Amino acid sequence: MGVDIWSKGGRHRAMQTRALHLIYFTATETTSRVVRAAAHGFQQASSAEPAVKLRELNVTSPPSASRPARELMLAGDEAALFAFPVYAGRIPRVAAERLARCNGNGAPAAILVTYGNRDYEDALLELFDLATAQGFLVKAAGTFVAQHSIFQSIAKGRPDVEDLNAARAFGAHFAARLEGEPLGQGGAQLPFRGERPFRKPGEIPLFPRRGRACDGCNLCAEQCPAGAIAPTTLELMKERCLHCARCIGLCPRRARSFPFLPHAIGRRRVAAACGDERKNPEWW
């Protein structure tokens, strides 16, 4: 599907998107808010008739018998919007592994990362490389601040209204870019920060622990992105843990938490590194 537009070289076919695939990792449900706002901005800005369909692929939870892994291959009139959080300056390792199930087949994509008001370091460049390796042509990229997953007093309440408005504008920018380019034109050389080879993720010496209020409902084990909680004993396998705090946020009895004193010390250190300045969305 395409529309005729004019350029110096004469008339060519520009892309008109039929469907936008949202491919995201959202342990604490903040990244999902950003990517959905961006998707709605894309949908509203697109001139496609009928309206662009939004299709979600949430890669947060691990595959299971009731939730088998989904493979995704995009068609020629589809686009993708990737959104992942930054953990210690990198993309979560399990999220990177799950991207291998997506085949862009030359489809255009936008990428974005969310971070807790400190820095996104190599994460956006890493996501660019991962998406490119899977056959996507990256046309736009953005960074957005979200409430810190471990230390929730940092960037508390974000993404807020201002952030979500910026995400909608980012999505609209992506839609306008696609409609102004010829079909099949290559990906962009985007000037965001990051270095190859990627730095090793920083060590995080905090692990969620199980408290006495636990009633063994098993929700934390079922939903842990890294499969780091044993389904029978509900004990944490520290070598697998992403420190994403999903088990803490999901527990209906609030039976999981970070140890108080190490958490308080870590919060002071991270807050000092983040500073008081409000960091705002950026995109390219």
Side-chain angles (χ1 to χ4, degrees):
M1 183 182 296
V3 60
D4 290 330
I5 63 175
W6 291 90
S7 70
K8 290 182 179 179
R11 192 170 68 177
H12 57 253
R13 299 284 284 173
M15 180 172 182
Q16 198 168 64
T17 309
R18 177 175 59 86
L20 179 67
H21 293 265
L22 284 57
I23 304 164
Y24 61 92
F25 183 102
T26 183
T28 54
E29 303 303 331
T30 51
T31 302
S32 59
R33 293 175 61 204
V34 175
V35 73
R36 286 171 183 151
H40 290 143
F42 183 101
Q43 190 179 47
Q44 291 170 357
S46 173
S47 64
E49 292 291 345
V52 175
K53 293 181 180 178
L54 303 181
R55 296 173 177 165
E56 295 194 17
L57 178 57
N58 184 343
V59 299
T60 310
S61 299
S64 65
S66 61
R67 189 177 50 248
R70 282 179 55 192
E71 302 289 334
L72 178 65
M73 177 178 286
L74 270 67
D77 55 359
E78 297 179 330
L81 179 55
F82 291 93
F84 293 87
V86 178
Y87 294 161
R90 296 284 300 277
I91 296 298
R93 63 178 184 273
V94 297
E97 292 165 2
R98 288 165 195 164
L99 278 186
R101 300 200 297 266
C102 301
N103 187 335
N105 198 28
I111 59 173
L112 66 86
V113 297
T114 59
Y115 67 102
N117 207 58
R118 185 183 66 83
D119 198 351
Y120 61 87
E121 295 184 89
D122 292 338
L124 191 60
L125 182 60
E126 182 180 18
L127 182 53
F128 177 91
D129 285 356
L130 290 167
T132 300
Q134 293 307 120
F136 292 90
L137 302 178
V138 178
K139 304 285 191 175
T143 63
F144 293 81
V145 172
Q147 181 171 293
H148 200 286
S149 58
I150 299 176
F151 307 111
Q152 296 187 353
S153 60
I154 298 173
K156 188 174 180 63
R158 298 186 71 181
D160 55 20
V161 172
E162 187 177 338
D163 296 316
L164 296 177
N165 285 339
R168 281 186 279 272
F170 172 71
H173 161 79
F174 179 37
R177 170 120 199 231
L178 294 192
E179 294 191 359
E181 289 187 351
L183 286 169
Q185 183 166 311
Q189 296 298 315
L190 302 171
F192 47 76
R193 291 185 290 109
E195 296 181 2
R196 302 182 186 93
F198 304 131
R199 70 201 74 189
K200 184 179 178 181
E203 295 291 331
I204 302 175
L206 278 173
F207 297 92
R209 62 184 180 185
R210 179 187 178 197
R212 294 179 180 178
C214 176
D215 64 358
C217 74
N218 220 42
L219 182 63
C220 58
E222 292 172 356
Q223 295 292 327
C224 175
I229 300 174
T232 51
T233 65
L234 299 182
E235 294 303 313
L236 181 72
M237 294 174 272
K238 291 184 177 181
E239 69 279 4
R240 295 187 185 181
C241 182
L242 298 176
H243 316 276
C244 69
R246 184 166 177 80
C247 59
I248 294 174
L250 285 176
C251 181
R253 297 182 63 84
R254 298 184 180 179
R256 285 195 177 264
S257 63
F258 290 111
F260 176 78
L261 185 58
H263 185 267
I265 294 170
R267 183 178 64 247
R268 287 196 294 270
R269 291 176 177 171
V270 174
C274 292
D276 296 329
E277 176 190 2
R278 175 189 170 98
K279 295 189 172 101
N280 291 312
E282 299 179 87
W283 67 75
W284 300 265

mmCIF file of all heavy atoms in Angstrom, residues 71-98:
data_model
loop_
_atom_site.group_PDB
_atom_site.id
_atom_site.type_symbol
_atom_site.label_atom_id
_atom_site.label_comp_id
_atom_site.label_asym_id
_atom_site.label_seq_id
_atom_site.Cartn_x
_atom_site.Cartn_y
_atom_site.Cartn_z
ATOM 1 N N GLU A 71 6.146 -15.903 17.445
ATOM 2 C CA GLU A 71 7.066 -15.475 16.391
ATOM 3 C C GLU A 71 6.375 -14.360 15.609
ATOM 4 O O GLU A 71 5.162 -14.363 15.436
ATOM 5 C CB GLU A 71 7.370 -16.653 15.455
ATOM 6 C CG GLU A 71 7.967 -17.877 16.163
ATOM 7 C CD GLU A 71 9.384 -17.651 16.631
ATOM 8 O OE1 GLU A 71 10.073 -16.811 16.015
ATOM 9 O OE2 GLU A 71 9.805 -18.307 17.601
ATOM 10 N N LEU A 72 7.166 -13.408 15.130
ATOM 11 C CA LEU A 72 6.585 -12.269 14.428
ATOM 12 C C LEU A 72 7.406 -11.959 13.187
ATOM 13 O O LEU A 72 8.623 -11.788 13.265
ATOM 14 C CB LEU A 72 6.552 -11.039 15.346
ATOM 15 C CG LEU A 72 6.020 -9.739 14.744
ATOM 16 C CD1 LEU A 72 4.543 -9.881 14.396
ATOM 17 C CD2 LEU A 72 6.220 -8.583 15.721
ATOM 18 N N MET A 73 6.737 -11.919 12.017
ATOM 19 C CA MET A 73 7.370 -11.468 10.791
ATOM 20 C C MET A 73 6.492 -10.377 10.185
ATOM 21 O O MET A 73 5.307 -10.586 9.959
ATOM 22 C CB MET A 73 7.560 -12.603 9.784
ATOM 23 C CG MET A 73 8.169 -12.121 8.462
ATOM 24 S SD MET A 73 8.467 -13.449 7.260
ATOM 25 C CE MET A 73 9.908 -14.229 7.987
ATOM 26 N N LEU A 74 7.078 -9.220 9.948
ATOM 27 C CA LEU A 74 6.297 -8.103 9.452
ATOM 28 C C LEU A 74 6.109 -8.164 7.945
ATOM 29 O O LEU A 74 6.983 -8.657 7.218
ATOM 30 C CB LEU A 74 6.955 -6.779 9.836
ATOM 31 C CG LEU A 74 6.492 -6.202 11.189
ATOM 32 C CD1 LEU A 74 6.953 -7.097 12.332
ATOM 33 C CD2 LEU A 74 7.003 -4.794 11.389
ATOM 34 N N ALA A 75 4.966 -7.660 7.501
ATOM 35 C CA ALA A 75 4.671 -7.550 6.073
ATOM 36 C C ALA A 75 5.162 -6.200 5.559
ATOM 37 O O ALA A 75 5.588 -5.333 6.321
ATOM 38 C CB ALA A 75 3.171 -7.698 5.849
ATOM 39 N N GLY A 76 5.071 -6.002 4.249
ATOM 40 C CA GLY A 76 5.628 -4.817 3.616
ATOM 41 C C GLY A 76 4.945 -3.518 3.960
ATOM 42 O O GLY A 76 5.525 -2.445 3.791
ATOM 43 N N ASP A 77 3.700 -3.562 4.444
ATOM 44 C CA ASP A 77 2.996 -2.332 4.800
ATOM 45 C C ASP A 77 2.780 -2.224 6.305
ATOM 46 O O ASP A 77 1.816 -1.620 6.766
ATOM 47 C CB ASP A 77 1.662 -2.237 4.065
ATOM 48 C CG ASP A 77 0.776 -3.452 4.286
ATOM 49 O OD1 ASP A 77 1.214 -4.384 4.996
ATOM 50 O OD2 ASP A 77 -0.340 -3.483 3.744
ATOM 51 N N GLU A 78 3.697 -2.812 7.076
ATOM 52 C CA GLU A 78 3.635 -2.754 8.532
ATOM 53 C C GLU A 78 4.899 -2.084 9.082
ATOM 54 O O GLU A 78 5.928 -2.023 8.407
ATOM 55 C CB GLU A 78 3.484 -4.158 9.124
ATOM 56 C CG GLU A 78 2.187 -4.845 8.705
ATOM 57 C CD GLU A 78 2.049 -6.240 9.279
ATOM 58 O OE1 GLU A 78 3.088 -6.904 9.500
ATOM 59 O OE2 GLU A 78 0.909 -6.663 9.513
ATOM 60 N N ALA A 79 4.806 -1.575 10.302
ATOM 61 C CA ALA A 79 5.937 -0.932 10.961
ATOM 62 C C ALA A 79 5.991 -1.420 12.405
ATOM 63 O O ALA A 79 5.048 -2.044 12.908
ATOM 64 C CB ALA A 79 5.804 0.585 10.906
ATOM 65 N N ALA A 80 7.106 -1.132 13.083
ATOM 66 C CA ALA A 80 7.280 -1.583 14.463
ATOM 67 C C ALA A 80 7.714 -0.429 15.347
ATOM 68 O O ALA A 80 8.372 0.515 14.899
ATOM 69 C CB ALA A 80 8.320 -2.703 14.527
ATOM 70 N N LEU A 81 7.336 -0.533 16.606
ATOM 71 C CA LEU A 81 7.746 0.426 17.623
ATOM 72 C C LEU A 81 8.262 -0.382 18.810
ATOM 73 O O LEU A 81 7.511 -1.087 19.470
ATOM 74 C CB LEU A 81 6.556 1.300 18.036
ATOM 75 C CG LEU A 81 6.768 2.363 19.100
ATOM 76 C CD1 LEU A 81 7.898 3.310 18.735
ATOM 77 C CD2 LEU A 81 5.481 3.141 19.318
ATOM 78 N N PHE A 82 9.572 -0.307 19.053
ATOM 79 C CA PHE A 82 10.217 -1.047 20.132
ATOM 80 C C PHE A 82 10.366 -0.144 21.351
ATOM 81 O O PHE A 82 10.746 1.028 21.220
ATOM 82 C CB PHE A 82 11.603 -1.530 19.714
ATOM 83 C CG PHE A 82 11.607 -2.591 18.664
ATOM 84 C CD1 PHE A 82 11.709 -2.253 17.322
ATOM 85 C CD2 PHE A 82 11.532 -3.934 19.005
ATOM 86 C CE1 PHE A 82 11.729 -3.240 16.340
ATOM 87 C CE2 PHE A 82 11.547 -4.925 18.041
ATOM 88 C CZ PHE A 82 11.643 -4.572 16.694
ATOM 89 N N ALA A 83 10.135 -0.692 22.549
ATOM 90 C CA ALA A 83 10.306 0.082 23.778
ATOM 91 C C ALA A 83 10.830 -0.833 24.885
ATOM 92 O O ALA A 83 10.198 -1.852 25.204
ATOM 93 C CB ALA A 83 8.983 0.719 24.199
ATOM 94 N N PHE A 84 11.970 -0.450 25.463
ATOM 95 C CA PHE A 84 12.604 -1.266 26.503
ATOM 96 C C PHE A 84 13.179 -0.379 27.607
ATOM 97 O O PHE A 84 13.636 0.730 27.336
ATOM 98 C CB PHE A 84 13.710 -2.135 25.902
ATOM 99 C CG PHE A 84 13.204 -3.193 24.972
ATOM 100 C CD1 PHE A 84 13.002 -2.926 23.630
ATOM 101 C CD2 PHE A 84 12.871 -4.439 25.449
ATOM 102 C CE1 PHE A 84 12.502 -3.890 22.776
ATOM 103 C CE2 PHE A 84 12.369 -5.416 24.608
ATOM 104 C CZ PHE A 84 12.179 -5.141 23.267
ATOM 105 N N PRO A 85 13.173 -0.862 28.854
ATOM 106 C CA PRO A 85 13.784 -0.097 29.940
ATOM 107 C C PRO A 85 15.299 -0.271 29.934
ATOM 108 O O PRO A 85 15.835 -1.209 29.330
ATOM 109 C CB PRO A 85 13.167 -0.736 31.191
ATOM 110 C CG PRO A 85 12.933 -2.165 30.784
ATOM 111 C CD PRO A 85 12.562 -2.124 29.330
ATOM 112 N N VAL A 86 15.966 0.637 30.620
ATOM 113 C CA VAL A 86 17.418 0.574 30.771
ATOM 114 C C VAL A 86 17.727 0.054 32.169
ATOM 115 O O VAL A 86 17.270 0.622 33.157
ATOM 116 C CB VAL A 86 18.046 1.974 30.588
ATOM 117 C CG1 VAL A 86 19.559 1.916 30.786
ATOM 118 C CG2 VAL A 86 17.700 2.541 29.220
ATOM 119 N N TYR A 87 18.494 -1.031 32.245
ATOM 120 C CA TYR A 87 18.949 -1.571 33.519
ATOM 121 C C TYR A 87 20.470 -1.506 33.541
ATOM 122 O O TYR A 87 21.132 -2.170 32.729
ATOM 123 C CB TYR A 87 18.499 -3.025 33.711
ATOM 124 C CG TYR A 87 17.002 -3.219 33.837
ATOM 125 C CD1 TYR A 87 16.422 -4.468 33.624
ATOM 126 C CD2 TYR A 87 16.159 -2.165 34.182
ATOM 127 C CE1 TYR A 87 15.058 -4.658 33.751
ATOM 128 C CE2 TYR A 87 14.794 -2.343 34.296
ATOM 129 C CZ TYR A 87 14.245 -3.594 34.086
ATOM 130 O OH TYR A 87 12.879 -3.768 34.204
ATOM 131 N N ALA A 88 21.018 -0.683 34.436
ATOM 132 C CA ALA A 88 22.470 -0.538 34.574
ATOM 133 C C ALA A 88 23.124 -0.192 33.244
ATOM 134 O O ALA A 88 24.197 -0.690 32.907
ATOM 135 C CB ALA A 88 23.082 -1.809 35.159
ATOM 136 N N GLY A 89 22.458 0.660 32.468
ATOM 137 C CA GLY A 89 23.032 1.159 31.232
ATOM 138 C C GLY A 89 22.846 0.286 30.014
ATOM 139 O O GLY A 89 23.331 0.623 28.930
ATOM 140 N N ARG A 90 22.112 -0.834 30.142
ATOM 141 C CA ARG A 90 21.938 -1.759 29.028
ATOM 142 C C ARG A 90 20.482 -2.210 28.928
ATOM 143 O O ARG A 90 19.674 -1.996 29.822
ATOM 144 C CB ARG A 90 22.839 -2.990 29.238
ATOM 145 C CG ARG A 90 24.337 -2.712 29.236
ATOM 146 C CD ARG A 90 24.890 -2.492 27.850
ATOM 147 N NE ARG A 90 24.674 -3.664 27.012
ATOM 148 C CZ ARG A 90 25.470 -4.748 27.008
ATOM 149 N NH1 ARG A 90 26.531 -4.804 27.799
ATOM 150 N NH2 ARG A 90 25.219 -5.764 26.210
ATOM 151 N N ILE A 91 20.158 -2.853 27.808
ATOM 152 C CA ILE A 91 18.850 -3.480 27.621
ATOM 153 C C ILE A 91 18.811 -4.767 28.456
ATOM 154 O O ILE A 91 19.807 -5.493 28.525
ATOM 155 C CB ILE A 91 18.651 -3.823 26.120
ATOM 156 C CG1 ILE A 91 18.627 -2.551 25.283
ATOM 157 C CG2 ILE A 91 17.373 -4.620 25.905
ATOM 158 C CD1 ILE A 91 17.504 -1.614 25.608
ATOM 159 N N PRO A 92 17.683 -5.098 29.109
ATOM 160 C CA PRO A 92 17.615 -6.362 29.865
ATOM 161 C C PRO A 92 17.972 -7.547 28.973
ATOM 162 O O PRO A 92 17.494 -7.658 27.843
ATOM 163 C CB PRO A 92 16.144 -6.432 30.297
ATOM 164 C CG PRO A 92 15.658 -5.029 30.246
ATOM 165 C CD PRO A 92 16.427 -4.340 29.170
ATOM 166 N N ARG A 93 18.815 -8.413 29.477
ATOM 167 C CA ARG A 93 19.342 -9.506 28.636
ATOM 168 C C ARG A 93 18.237 -10.407 28.100
ATOM 169 O O ARG A 93 18.306 -10.859 26.947
ATOM 170 C CB ARG A 93 20.375 -10.331 29.418
ATOM 171 C CG ARG A 93 19.836 -11.053 30.633
ATOM 172 C CD ARG A 93 20.909 -11.885 31.336
ATOM 173 N NE ARG A 93 20.356 -12.650 32.439
ATOM 174 C CZ ARG A 93 20.228 -12.192 33.672
ATOM 175 N NH1 ARG A 93 20.602 -10.957 33.956
ATOM 176 N NH2 ARG A 93 19.702 -12.959 34.619
ATOM 177 N N VAL A 94 17.199 -10.686 28.898
ATOM 178 C CA VAL A 94 16.141 -11.571 28.408
ATOM 179 C C VAL A 94 15.319 -10.882 27.320
ATOM 180 O O VAL A 94 14.818 -11.539 26.402
ATOM 181 C CB VAL A 94 15.230 -12.056 29.553
ATOM 182 C CG1 VAL A 94 16.015 -12.885 30.549
ATOM 183 C CG2 VAL A 94 14.534 -10.905 30.249
ATOM 184 N N ALA A 95 15.199 -9.558 27.405
ATOM 185 C CA ALA A 95 14.480 -8.830 26.361
ATOM 186 C C ALA A 95 15.239 -8.914 25.048
ATOM 187 O O ALA A 95 14.650 -9.107 23.976
ATOM 188 C CB ALA A 95 14.293 -7.373 26.774
ATOM 189 N N ALA A 96 16.556 -8.781 25.129
ATOM 190 C CA ALA A 96 17.377 -8.893 23.923
ATOM 191 C C ALA A 96 17.236 -10.277 23.293
ATOM 192 O O ALA A 96 17.130 -10.422 22.069
ATOM 193 C CB ALA A 96 18.840 -8.614 24.268
ATOM 194 N N GLU A 97 17.183 -11.303 24.130
ATOM 195 C CA GLU A 97 17.033 -12.670 23.614
ATOM 196 C C GLU A 97 15.677 -12.850 22.923
ATOM 197 O O GLU A 97 15.583 -13.528 21.894
ATOM 198 C CB GLU A 97 17.164 -13.668 24.769
ATOM 199 C CG GLU A 97 18.579 -13.740 25.357
ATOM 200 C CD GLU A 97 18.612 -14.440 26.707
ATOM 201 O OE1 GLU A 97 17.542 -14.905 27.166
ATOM 202 O OE2 GLU A 97 19.700 -14.508 27.309
ATOM 203 N N ARG A 98 14.625 -12.235 23.458
ATOM 204 C CA ARG A 98 13.289 -12.418 22.896
ATOM 205 C C ARG A 98 13.094 -11.649 21.597
ATOM 206 O O ARG A 98 12.200 -11.972 20.816
ATOM 207 C CB ARG A 98 12.235 -12.040 23.943
ATOM 208 C CG ARG A 98 12.168 -13.073 25.058
ATOM 209 C CD ARG A 98 11.441 -12.652 26.301
ATOM 210 N NE ARG A 98 11.773 -13.592 27.367
ATOM 211 C CZ ARG A 98 11.569 -13.365 28.660
ATOM 212 N NH1 ARG A 98 11.026 -12.223 29.058
ATOM 213 N NH2 ARG A 98 11.917 -14.271 29.548
#
